[in-house]
Amino acid sequence: MSGKKRRWPAETNLAALKMLAHTLLWFDIQPTKLSPLVVKHPFTDSGLVGIHDEDGSLSAGNLLDDPSVLHSWRENVRQQINEAETAAGLLLLVTKPYQLGYLKLATPYLCEQDAALFLSYTWINTESPNDDPNLSKRSLLAMFRSIAPQKLMDEEERELFQSLDDVVTVYRGVTSYNAQNVKALSWTLNREVAEWFAHRFGQMARYMRQQVKKENIYAVFLGRNEEEVIVDPGTPHGSLPAAGAGAGTGNGDFYVDTENSRLSQ
């Protein structure tokens, strides 16, 4: 695998991570069309929250309507941040839409093992991480390159990674929304998974297929049952012939030749 390796700190700076978390805690609560039920904030997805009072009782409140509830809620979260004993414990406090953003800010303070944990966990739990506004594909790829693959994967994933051939066929299902996103990091070893992604919104389906060298695969993730592989999008080994591509789906699928940007039905 190519790319300059990052020099990670020997130990994670937990105090610095907590300081970052405290800063995020003071972000404004962003309302949505479904508020107060649904809001946007690094530490809550809902404006309706439970508050632990000093006497141990639990009360409910609306973060958007009552400043005293907002103050008490922030005090509750502040205490949770202070009591966190590990970097993973802090990450679990952060809501999914903000986890990659937290990773971006936390990276200088993470040891390699904790960086691997942050990256693998947030990648699996983030919807469309290839398009997340907090981290560009370039930054994400640099991070994957800088971490030893065995640290990113669990035992089952490592075994599958080790069993891969030197040249691997990978697939990616796309819709009209992301059909131009050929340079994505996220692919799958399973064509049926790619076809499911292509059809999940009921649109005309396309799936892309290419061959990549194993040395340009940075991780295998099985956590979402997608047989996902993280691929360097700039290094295809070659395209596959289009004949028969999409056969058996019965949906008029298209195969995309990623090397020559050619469609075949």
Side-chain angles (χ1 to χ4, degrees), residues 133-154:
N134 296 292
L135 278 172
S136 66
K137 284 197 285 282
R138 182 190 297 269
S139 297
L140 284 165
L141 180 59
M143 193 169 294
F144 275 112
R145 284 174 171 171
S146 69
I147 298 173
Q150 64 269 21
K151 296 182 183 294
L152 290 164
M153 299 177 282
D154 62 25

Side-chain angles (χ1 to χ4, degrees), residues 39-231:
V39 299
K40 295 181 179 180
H41 188 271
F43 290 99
T44 184
D45 291 317
S46 178
L48 304 178
V49 297
I51 304 296
H52 291 278
D53 298 319
E54 293 182 359
D55 60 4
S57 62
L58 182 66
S59 59
N62 187 336
L63 297 176
L64 296 175
D65 289 347
D66 191 335
S68 65
V69 171
L70 178 59
H71 173 78
S72 297
W73 171 78
R74 281 198 168 116
E75 282 299 306
N76 282 185
V77 179
R78 184 183 65 82
Q79 184 175 351
Q80 290 178 296
I81 292 171
N82 289 339
E83 292 176 352
E85 297 181 352
T86 64
L90 285 171
L91 179 62
L92 291 174
L93 295 175
V94 180
T95 55
K96 291 180 181 180
Y98 290 86
Q99 286 178 351
L100 279 174
Y102 185 53
L103 169 59
K104 179 180 181 179
L105 297 172
T107 296
Y109 310 110
L110 296 171
C111 69
E112 185 176 7
Q113 186 61 62
D114 280 337
L117 183 152
F118 268 50
L119 181 56
S120 59
Y121 181 85
T122 56
W123 184 271
I124 292 171
N125 283 279
T126 300
E127 179 68 22
S128 301
N130 289 280
D131 303 314
D132 191 273
N134 296 292
L135 278 172
S136 66
K137 284 197 285 282
R138 182 190 297 269
S139 297
L140 284 165
L141 180 59
M143 193 169 294
F144 275 112
R145 284 174 171 171
S146 69
I147 298 173
Q150 64 269 21
K151 296 182 183 294
L152 290 164
M153 299 177 282
D154 62 25
E155 183 176 355
E156 184 181 5
E157 292 164 343
R158 287 192 292 267
E159 289 179 359
L160 178 55
F161 180 83
Q162 291 299 328
S163 71
L164 295 177
D165 295 331
D166 290 339
V167 177
V168 182
T169 302
V170 296
Y171 307 88
R172 178 171 172 82
V174 297
T175 65
S176 58
Y177 173 76
N178 62 351
Q180 303 304 316
N181 193 9
V182 177
K183 298 296 186 181
L185 279 66
S186 179
W187 294 70
T188 177
L189 300 171
N190 190 326
R191 193 188 78 176
E192 292 183 357
V193 171
E195 290 174 351
W196 181 87
F197 273 99
H199 289 293
R200 62 176 173 165
F201 299 125
Q203 299 178 350
M204 176 63 75
R206 297 178 180 177
Y207 71 89
M208 298 182 285
R209 179 169 65 171
Q210 71 171 336
Q211 290 181 318
V212 295
K213 293 181 179 179
K214 181 179 178 180
E215 66 187 54
N216 293 319
I217 295 176
Y218 296 102
V220 175
F221 292 138
L222 302 176
R224 292 184 290 202
N225 297 316
E226 296 173 2
E227 296 182 53
E228 183 179 16
V229 288
I230 306 303
V231 173

